[in-house]
Amino acid sequence: MSTVTDTSVLAARFQETFGAVHDGVWQAPGRVNLIGEHTDYNEGFVLPFAIDKTAKVALRVRDDSTVRMLSTFGGHGLVEADLAELEPGSGNGWSRYPLGVAWALKERGIEVPGFDLLLDSDVPSGAGLSSSHAIECAVISALNELTGAGLAAQDLVLATQRAENVYVGAPTGIMDQSASLRGAKGQAVFLDCRDQHVDLVPFDAESSGLVLLVIDTKVSHSHADGGYASRRASCELGAEILGVKALRDVGVERLEEASGLLDETTMKRVRHVVTENDRVLQTVEVLGSQGPASIGPLLDASHVSMRDDFEISCPELDLAVDTSRANGAIGARMTGGGFGGSAIALTPVGQEQQVRDAVVRSFGEAGYATPDIFTVTPAAGARRLT
Ligand code: ADP
Ligand code: MG
């Protein structure tokens, strides 16, 4: 089966597959993080936005506890499960995301009936755009409505976090689902990860004559998991020595004092988090006062900090960033957890083709795989389509 985008085609596929009419179609976007990397688990600030690439689910509730699921993504067959037998870790592949969401709702005491589900997503998988949360957010939006649970967005955010952390077993924060569930067209989502407060911040690159390019390096480094765990541990150690609950509570003015208290590696990790939090606040400020064309230096500084202090970049990401900057991008940085995935490059419309060509050429010359390059715009958060 190939990917479809039209909801009527999806409805017809649903009918063909399950021999019944769906109850509705829900959609949730992937996300790009504009700035604020590895600040989430330090109870700091992030500034992601929902993108114009989405997971759609056509769904019908059943009168038993059976779940049947199919994705239009190639190479997956029909998956069946029984909600009565759900346990963290059960299921495999993509079915863990819808099942994890059902499990998290049940854990909250919500009666979740079995369902038939057809998934159709154009969020690139594994590129750091959170295709997994797009699936979870589409499914939880559907189940929240069809069960009559009526949970508020904040609760849906926490339920999808439980699904990822406990059911799927991925140690993720609340950024991705907050962007997917709470994003809006033309807006970035300024999220305080301590209290979940969200402010929408206008981010209309297009009317400033800019495009935001995503460069998917297609690199997925095997040490990403260990790298993440050790960075978290360094941050916790830094907070403990500095006597704060989380690094969110350390301002840039304390960095000099910190350098006398911390070992060299911990100091570098702390400096990244503290300055990155500050850059998120500055980006929000600059977007409000001057607009997207003025945030370039903050994106650049964020990349340097991740490359040199947090040490989570890789040669492919650095090449994507440096080549973009050398060919007209006004700011560029790696985005996501690091050790691979994607970079973003804020680029004047007139320079877009030059940046694309130069990045592809430089990757070829370096002997790297050809990257995928595409534009994203801030789009609506999760919603019902039909
Ligand atoms: P990311 O969320 O950054 O894209 P993850 O590893 O968290 O990366 O999630 C990718 C997983 O999501 C895939 O391995 C697959 O299980 C699932 N997935 C993404 N898109 C689809 C799709 N269209 N159909 C089925 N599964 C998908
Ligand atoms: Mg994911």
Side-chain angles (χ1 to χ4, degrees):
M1 233 193 273
S2 57
T3 306
V4 295
T5 43
D6 192 308
T7 48
S8 57
V9 176
L10 195 62
R13 292 250 176 107
F14 186 95
Q15 170 104 42
E16 264 166 46
T17 308
F18 299 111
V21 178
H22 66 291
D23 293 333
V25 177
W26 284 259
Q27 151 179 303
R31 64 98 188 94
V32 158
N33 192 20
L34 190 57
I35 195 161
E37 225 64 76
H38 288 262
T39 46
D40 57 349
Y41 53 82
N42 290 296
E43 302 188 11
F45 306 106
V46 292
L47 190 62
F49 61 87
I51 59 174
D52 50 336
K53 293 187 181 296
T54 61
K56 293 187 179 73
V57 294
L59 196 143
R60 165 186 98 94
V61 295
R62 300 167 54 94
D63 49 20
D64 58 18
S65 62
T66 300
V67 176
R68 296 189 296 173
M69 294 173 284
L70 186 69
S71 167
T72 59
F73 205 54
H76 300 262
L78 188 77
V79 183
E80 264 201 53
D82 189 335
L83 288 188
E85 291 162 13
L86 285 191
E87 264 176 52
S90 61
N92 50 43
W94 73 277
S95 71
R96 292 171 304 157
Y97 302 110
L99 293 176
V101 159
W103 173 85
L105 290 176
K106 283 179 69 170
E107 193 196 35
R108 284 179 166 250
I110 294 159
E111 268 186 47
V112 183
F115 52 86
D116 292 333
L117 180 159
L118 178 60
L119 165 70
D120 182 50
S121 175
D122 65 357
V123 185
S125 171
L129 303 183
S130 229
S131 65
S132 62
H133 281 102
I135 298 170
E136 289 166 352
C137 292
V139 174
I140 206 164
S141 300
L143 293 179
N144 190 37
E145 195 172 332
L146 292 172
T147 58
L151 295 178
Q154 284 98 316
D155 290 322
L156 298 181
V157 165
L158 294 178
T160 49
Q161 188 188 20
R162 289 284 295 167
E164 280 251 341
N165 291 173
V166 182
Y167 194 90
V168 179
T172 50
I174 58 166
M175 168 167 73
D176 301 350
Q177 55 275 61
S178 295
S180 184
L181 290 163
R182 304 176 77 179
K185 191 172 188 311
Q187 313 277 327
V189 178
F190 174 40
L191 171 67
D192 181 336
C193 296
R194 172 162 277 172
D195 65 6
Q196 270 204 68
H197 181 80
V198 159
D199 277 323
L200 294 177
V201 178
F203 176 61
D204 187 359
E206 206 178 322
S207 58
S208 301
L210 298 166
V211 289
L212 194 78
L213 287 170
V214 174
I215 302 159
D216 175 6
T217 64
K218 301 200 188 148
V219 176
S220 144
H221 279 179
S222 51
H223 56 273
D225 286 351
Y228 180 87
S230 77
R231 297 309 181 281
R232 270 190 94 133
S234 291
C235 292
E236 280 160 24
L237 177 65
E240 196 188 317
I241 295 173
L242 294 173
V244 291
K245 178 165 178 274
L247 289 182
R248 141 71 172 273
D249 300 309
V250 179
V252 284
E253 72 286 347
R254 278 197 74 190
L255 285 176
E256 209 182 301
E257 174 206 344
S259 70
L261 298 170
L262 306 175
D263 66 82
E264 196 187 329
T265 301
T266 309
M267 181 60 209
K268 284 163 82 174
R269 309 301 187 241
V270 166
R271 188 165 55 212
H272 165 70
V273 172
V274 170
T275 57
E276 184 79 350
N277 262 329
D278 189 57
R279 280 186 290 271
V280 176
L281 297 176
Q282 285 189 53
T283 304
V284 170
E285 225 287 302
V286 170
L287 280 175
S289 60
Q290 299 165 57
S294 300
I295 66 168
L298 291 161
L299 302 181
D300 292 341
S302 172
H303 185 75
V304 170
S305 178
M306 287 186 283
R307 186 190 65 198
D308 299 345
D309 276 347
F310 222 58
E311 297 180 278
I312 52 171
S313 190
C314 63
E316 293 86 349
L317 285 168
D318 290 340
L319 185 63
V321 165
D322 294 343
T323 309
S324 300
R325 287 291 280 114
N327 285 276
I330 61 166
R333 61 185 284 273
M334 53 152 283
T335 184
F339 307 106
S342 298
I344 53 173
L346 190 60
T347 308
V349 175
Q351 303 289 122
E352 179 185 341
Q353 198 55 48
Q354 187 178 331
V355 170
R356 283 174 178 269
D357 293 345
V359 170
V360 169
R361 203 179 326 115
S362 68
F363 270 56
E365 284 163 8
Y368 300 154
T370 309
D372 250 343
I373 307 179
F374 49 90
T375 59
V376 288
T377 55
R383 64 200 167 105
R384 185 173 188 164
L385 291 180
T386 61

